[in-house]
Amino acid sequence: MALFHSHCQLQSNPVSFENNEAQVFFDDCNEYLVVYKDSVFTVSSLKDRTIPPQSLDFVRKDAVLDVRFSLDKRHVCIMRSHTDIDVVNLADGSEFNYTCKGKEKGNMLHGFVWLNNTMCDLVLVTSGGLELLKFTPKLDSMKLVKHDNRSIHWFIYSHPNRLMLLCSGKDYNCIQSLQFTPDKLIKIPDFNPEVSSKSGNKRTPLEKANFLACKLYDKLCCVYVFAARQELIIYQLGKEAIGKLCTINLFSACDHYAVSVMDNLLVVHNTDSKITMIFDVWLQQWTSHPIAAPLPLGGPPSKTEEGESPSGDLEPAEQFIQEWSFEQPHYILDRKAGRMWGLELNLEHLCASSSDKVNLVRCLLKRRDARELTLGVLRGCVREREPLYSLLQIFTIVVDAALTASSPPPSTRAGKWWYYEPREDDPPSEGAPSSGGSVGLDLPSKPIDQADCHRHVFLPIYQAKAVEDDYLIAVTTEYLLALSSRGLMAETVMVEFLLSLIVEASPPRYNVLHQLLQYHVMQDSLSVAQRLLELEPAYPPALQLALDMLHRLKAHEQVMEALLQRGAVVQAIHYAKEKGGGVRLVPSHLLAAARESGDDHAFFAAYRFVTAELQAEHTAHRRASPSFLPQDACDDHVATTSASSAEEAEVEEAETQEAEPQEAEVEELWLKRQRLKRQSLKKEEVEEAESEEADAEEPAAAVCIQCALPVDQTPPRPLAKRRGPWRRAARARHGVVLRIAPLGAEAARASELL
């Protein structure tokens, strides 16, 4: 038969036993395989294969219906009939018998379990209820400490959770749940599972083979296999409540399904078609399908001289198993072939057979020791050029898992869903060691952070040139968007990697870089700002982006340094003035940069600014002297300034001397004009006086020299009440009024002349 891959396979080291005329029992509390043949019990440990099989030949020969060892490994209880048990002391071989109550009334014994705690040592499950037994001080008998009366048809016990499921009711249709704590018995509410098929409302009795008690993701659960509807119904159990967690569609018909629990996963075996399906209750909120494609159960890994085959090819399990009998939590007992196999998950084959990468990553992040596989799946998604929206979903899931791992764990089993969780330090019975049968919460592997994604996902793909530059830039951007959607800033290593991709692309994607920086998708850092400054020759806007980033980082000295290196001395001085005391200046650097710029105005502005700052520091008692000190290393700049000042003084003096003769000529001309003006005024005063004398001798009529009309006939002149342009217009219209003789030839001649 051809080799194939399978996500669930047999372990490579089964436990073999003698199967000819032998009785085989499985002690699930201790994970012991017990074979009874010819009055000898052979005990093999499935948990620790290094322990060789042990034989017990001192037990009396009689019928054996069931056998279980105590948790402290000091006693063994043998069920001889449906009413009696024998308890054997392994230390001295002594034994005693105990008969269940109500034997004469038809009370039958269904089975028993060991507890070995302060409440009781042994629990008998009978058709009439529970009998809690405890050893007497001499350990030679047992006494009844509590009898819980109830009708029981069958029971299932999960030792890791100390949970017992009891089937009761007149029609075998009610499930009662109990939990055993070290000092009391906790009763969980009863519930009636759905037992009616789609074709009708006929209810059928509940069968023990269709139920399983387990814990999934810190939830106490009861799994019910509804074969008639091809469904798996999971109920969540709590101290005060019962609820349906989810319903899983099995997508295949079968008369009898078998369910195994491994790493919080439900492995469903179709015993008719011999295929296996893996379901994760955590994924039921997103999908109802199995994690991977249904595949046949695989055989043990093929071995070579160097160990297991590196190809991972398997043979079908049918070649190794003749009789299928599934035992909890993940064993197959083959009584016909004389072997007991353990089941294990093959996560590598699970990844290879899954087409839904989003839910596959969700599943892997919940598994133990699956960190490398998860990183491999991420690499594969990028290499296979998955759609960007799918990659964004995957990256968001990875980021959420890292956030959940970094935050404090929420309170579990709170409120109505509280249940007792056994621990290894539960108080055992007196003189007995701690039991090691309790199982803690399965914690997922270490979360994947940004450094892991850079080192194990993006960098290998970039180095191998597995995808195009544009696609890798888009993928890295999607990862940064996933971080941003959860309120996280990208670390420097991711920002620098994306910056390298953008710059080294052909052609460079500077527009993408500008947008990422503008919307703050990239985290501000000094290294990124320095890289942007280096990009200025190729992309001039990178300078402003770098300065803005340095300003947000409050790296004011770096802003000043960048401006001075580019000769922007005046801008640097303005920036320093805006920041006030937030910028620590080095006078020598500022003056040297101003001097190298070759602009004398900038140099003297810098010199004045530096001297003002030194004076301010001296006033604030932060400096011993307002002048330059030797440690300032500014002697050359001071000398240059002094020399320039002397030269300017000489130039001003020469200009003053040249301007003195010109000023004397101007002053003489002004005095001459003043004399002429005074003479003109005196002449006008004389003429006015003569005119007044003539007017006094004979009244004269007033005539407007512009209109040539007597004043009494001219329009009124409201000059006293007008201002501005109106007054100027009136003057222009009426001109100057002169007084002339009112009558005679002189007046007529004057009128003609005007």
Side-chain angles (χ1 to χ4, degrees), residues 145-310:
V145 295
K146 185 176 182 180
H147 185 206
D148 186 72
N149 291 317
R150 62 180 70 214
S151 176
I152 300 176
H153 301 296
W154 50 260
F155 79 100
I156 292 176
Y157 180 67
S158 173
H159 177 70
N161 305 302
R162 307 298 193 273
L163 176 64
M164 182 177 287
L165 301 181
L166 305 174
C167 179
S168 62
K170 182 179 179 181
D171 298 329
Y172 294 30
N173 56 6
C174 180
I175 296 296
Q176 299 176 349
S177 306
L178 302 173
Q179 256 199 313
F180 299 96
T181 68
D183 54 357
K184 64 179 179 179
L185 185 65
I186 298 178
K187 296 182 180 180
I188 298 176
D190 305 342
F191 69 99
N192 292 17
E194 299 178 6
V195 294
S196 60
S197 61
K198 296 181 180 179
S199 58
N201 296 326
K202 183 180 179 181
R203 298 179 64 88
T204 57
L206 300 177
E207 297 182 4
K208 179 180 179 180
N210 294 333
F211 284 85
L212 171 66
C214 61
K215 187 170 66 174
L216 302 173
Y217 295 111
D218 205 25
K219 292 181 176 63
L220 196 62
C221 298
C222 172
V223 180
Y224 171 49
V225 181
F226 199 169
R229 280 206 248 170
Q230 302 177 18
E231 290 179 347
L232 206 65
I233 305 175
I234 293 94
Y235 296 93
Q236 183 178 356
L237 310 181
K239 182 181 179 181
E240 301 176 357
I242 295 289
K244 184 186 293 187
L245 187 61
C246 63
T247 301
I248 299 176
N249 192 345
L250 299 179
F251 301 102
S252 61
C254 180
D255 294 335
H256 175 67
Y257 296 93
V259 181
S260 303
V261 180
M262 289 179 281
D263 198 6
N264 292 318
L265 297 176
L266 294 174
V267 183
V268 182
H269 309 278
N270 189 320
T271 57
D272 292 345
S273 59
K274 297 296 187 298
I275 62 171
T276 300
M277 295 173 288
I278 301 178
F279 295 93
D280 189 352
V281 295
W282 166 254
L283 299 180
Q284 292 304 307
Q285 52 187 319
W286 295 288
T287 179
S288 60
H289 292 81
I291 303 173
L295 295 174
L297 184 65
S302 57
K303 292 186 177 181
T304 61
E305 296 181 357
E306 299 178 356
E308 295 184 359
S309 175

Side-chain angles (χ1 to χ4, degrees), residues 698 703 740-754:
E698 182 180 358
V703 179
I740 59 177
L743 299 173
E746 295 181 0
R749 189 170 53 254
S751 177
E752 291 177 0
L753 291 174
L754 293 174

Side-chain angles (χ1 to χ4, degrees), residues 24 26 256 258-260 269 271 321-328 330-336 339-341 343:
V24 183
F26 177 59
H256 175 67
V259 181
S260 303
H269 309 278
T271 57
I321 300 178
Q322 302 179 19
E323 182 181 355
W324 300 72
S325 177
F326 290 89
E327 302 289 346
Q328 294 304 319
H330 45 74
Y331 294 104
I332 297 179
L333 178 58
D334 187 358
R335 290 181 172 87
K336 188 174 182 180
R339 292 179 180 178
M340 188 162 191
W341 298 86
L343 297 177

